[in-house]
Amino acid sequence: SSARLERFLDLAAQDNIRVVNCSTPAQYFHLLRLQALRKAHRPLVVMTPKSLLRHPAARSSAAELTSGEFQRVFCEPNPPPPPEVRRLLLCSGKIFYDLISQDSRAEGTAITRLEQLYPFPEKDLLDELAAYPDLAEIVWVQEEPANMGAWRSIAHRLRAVADVPVRYIGRPDRASPAEGYAAAHSREQERIVTEALGI
């Protein structure tokens, strides 16, 4: 279906639902286990796009499936050494694979995914930020227009937990969620990734 993330986030309050965007099979598996085992049942909204079912990088090992747990905040597989990180790119879902697929990025740039968008994983994010003592900037990256997706719902939450500037990179406000032409979409996606990575 053509899900609209921002509409589910608009409906979320008082822990009434959980909204997630899993980026690996293991994350999805552990999420379903967690949902079944939770004593306080709440509706679960999973925003994972169909394209990740076929994405060659979106895979998990057997060990990742048989051990571990659902991670609300999920860092990239091989991040730069924490003392070297100055910029942290935060994103959710499919755009993570666009970011890590590039061969280069600005020095001192790390990438972290928010796998759970509501309830906002404040403690997990604070733990992640604490690992970067010289962090100077947080950038939220999304492929949706600024008036759609997660940005408008979580911007104030990001700024509340961060002691560094937080800014947005993505499409500007739009009336439509898509450009309508594949070539235009690809150009805009390339611009977002290039700007986010500082290349």
Side-chain angles (χ1 to χ4, degrees), residues 39-138:
K39 293 179 181 175
H41 292 292
R42 295 289 184 273
L44 174 65
V45 179
V46 182
M47 301 302 298
T48 306
K50 296 184 290 293
S51 63
L52 288 190
L53 294 172
R54 303 179 299 275
H55 200 293
R59 52 179 66 176
S60 300
S61 66
E64 289 170 324
L65 289 162
T66 57
S67 62
E69 61 185 9
F70 177 68
Q71 298 178 58
R72 293 166 181 83
V73 177
F74 200 26
C75 69
E76 63 183 305
N78 299 298
E84 297 177 8
V85 173
R86 304 291 181 270
R87 294 176 74 235
L88 179 63
L89 304 183
L90 286 178
C91 62
S92 187
K94 182 170 68 75
I95 197 164
F96 168 76
Y97 294 102
D98 294 336
L99 293 169
I100 64 165
S101 68
Q102 300 301 308
D103 294 329
S104 63
R105 67 173 82 165
E107 189 175 337
T109 300
I111 306 170
T112 293
R113 292 160 276 182
L114 288 191
E115 300 277 289
Q116 179 171 298
L117 296 164
Y118 189 86
F120 186 74
E122 181 176 331
K123 180 185 180 304
D124 303 72
L125 184 55
L126 282 169
D127 290 344
E128 179 76 4
L129 297 180
Y132 304 117
D134 294 322
L135 190 65
E137 178 185 44
I138 295 173

Side-chain angles (χ1 to χ4, degrees), residues 148-170:
M148 303 175 199
W151 171 242
R152 293 254 169 106
S153 294
I154 67 168
H156 67 288
R157 300 182 193 277
L158 292 175
R159 292 184 172 118
V161 300
D163 56 2
V164 296
V166 177
R167 67 186 181 96
Y168 165 85
I169 291 178

